[in-house]
Amino acid sequence: MTKVALAFDLGGTELRAALVNDAGDLLSFSAVPTRATDGPAAVIDQIEQLATAILTKAPDLSPIGIGIGAPGPLDPEAGVVIAAPTLAGWNEVPLAHILSTRFQLPVRLENDANAAALGEWRYGAGRGARSMVFVTVSTGIGGGVIADGRILHGRRGLAAEIGHMTITSEGERCFCGAIGCFEAVASGTALGRRATACTGHADGSLLRELSAGADVTGRHVVEAARKGDARAMELLNEEARWLGIGFTNLLHLYSPDILVIGGGISHGFDLLSEAIVATVRDRAMPAYRDVPIVPAKLGPHSGLIGAASLILGE
């Protein structure tokens, strides 16, 4: 009999669900826009409806449990979403208990970045490593740390909030209120902001052409760089330097066997990797310079696969 788990990836924009087997394969998948502004009850109803849709697609499969990745901060042991900034009204919500009661199945809750880290560690680029740091570079910067074969949680599951390391005393203010956060200078949002600032509306640049005159995004910068645009390539070199500085800190802090980068900006990894590695070699102590820095393998499904592994890995 196929061993499967029902997995959810709860984001502020999209709610995604899948049936996943113990080989890390998605057997059934569905997604809907999250009713993020409507409060916990509305979103939990969406979860229930999406579960019905998923199970209908695979009537011969019965999940042994539910794994869910959700925005932090949250407490994975208690199964409580503490205060999700992208979900209105989600304060101290006992999500695992609610879903366990509704579905009559065991439920495991995990920070979404930690879930993605688990997915890459168990089934993706970090498979076989004893210790791994996973960094997702997208709208913000998040990640998870596998230390000596276990996810690092810390007090109330709040460890490894790596996007809010302070790596400079300058730059834009982060949404958390601080100056100089890793996320504030190296996220895809920060890259897009720099690209927008150095171009003008309808100035004839490739960056503004790709953005149709609107604000430039990190993805536009990667696309323009692939077309050989000099300004985009300069922007990516600056992005790679900031990433390299942050990664150096992570190598010194956690001493992983491998560092895996995911998220939207990882699609430009081939354009970034040389400058990232050069920055690490320039800044890291010699013992840390040979740690492989590689792109994620599971793409947008790492969080779902990792959430399922919370159940399947037990």
Side-chain angles (χ1 to χ4, degrees):
M1 180 179 292
T2 303
K3 185 179 177 183
V4 299
L6 183 57
F8 293 95
D9 187 355
L10 172 56
T13 301
E14 189 175 53
L15 172 64
R16 307 164 74 242
L19 273 177
V20 182
N21 66 14
D22 55 6
D25 302 316
L26 269 67
L27 307 179
S28 179
F29 172 82
S30 189
V32 295
T34 307
R35 293 173 59 186
T37 61
D38 295 340
V43 177
I44 291 167
D45 284 345
Q46 281 190 294
I47 291 173
E48 192 166 8
Q49 292 164 14
L50 206 53
T52 299
I54 285 289
L55 295 172
T56 299
K57 292 180 181 180
D60 297 331
L61 298 175
S62 297
I64 61 172
I66 296 172
I68 181 164
L74 56 78
D75 185 336
E77 289 189 14
V80 174
V81 178
I82 297 171
T86 56
L87 299 170
W90 283 68
N91 297 302
E92 301 293 339
V93 177
L95 183 59
H97 174 73
I98 292 169
L99 295 182
S100 180
T101 300
R102 292 203 182 187
F103 290 100
Q104 294 298 299
L105 287 170
V107 176
R108 292 286 305 278
L109 176 68
E110 184 57 87
N111 177 286
D112 50 7
N114 283 347
L118 284 168
E120 287 293 336
W121 179 56
R122 287 178 166 152
Y123 298 105
R127 191 168 190 173
R130 179 70 177 166
S131 297
M132 181 194 86
V133 171
F134 174 74
V135 184
T136 177
V137 185
S138 191
T139 303
I141 290 183
V145 174
I146 308 295
D148 298 325
R150 298 181 64 181
I151 191 77
L152 182 65
H153 280 130
R155 185 183 65 87
R156 294 203 77 187
L158 302 177
E161 194 65 64
I162 62 178
H164 299 288
M165 296 186 298
T166 299
I167 64 170
T168 180
S169 60
E170 302 174 356
E172 299 283 341
R173 189 172 296 277
C174 183
F175 87 89
C176 74
I179 294 288
C181 290
F182 188 25
E183 176 174 301
V185 296
S187 64
T189 300
L191 174 59
R193 187 169 57 240
R194 287 194 294 272
T196 299
C198 73
T199 57
H201 180 71
D203 64 359
S205 66
L206 179 58
L207 288 167
R208 287 290 181 159
E209 179 183 327
L210 291 172
S211 70
D215 287 349
V216 183
T217 68
R219 287 183 180 271
H220 293 139
V221 178
V222 171
E223 187 178 351
R226 293 203 184 281
K227 297 177 183 292
D229 184 77
R231 184 176 295 173
M233 293 171 71
E234 288 177 5
L235 286 162
L236 280 191
N237 280 334
E238 183 181 4
E239 170 72 7
R241 185 178 70 85
W242 284 122
L243 289 173
I245 291 170
F247 291 174
T248 299
N249 288 349
L250 295 172
L251 295 177
H252 286 156
L253 283 169
Y254 299 114
S255 188
D257 298 312
I258 190 169
L259 189 151
V260 179
I261 175 173
I265 297 302
S266 70
H267 297 302
F269 181 78
D270 57 314
L271 302 174
L272 293 161
S273 60
E274 184 176 346
I276 289 173
V277 170
T279 302
V280 170
R281 286 179 177 166
D282 182 54
R283 290 176 171 268
M285 291 189 291
Y288 300 86
R289 294 174 188 168
D290 62 347
V291 175
I293 299 173
V294 303
K297 286 186 177 180
L298 303 181
H301 296 314
S302 59
L304 277 173
I305 295 170
S309 79
L310 296 169
I311 297 294
L312 299 171
E314 291 187 335

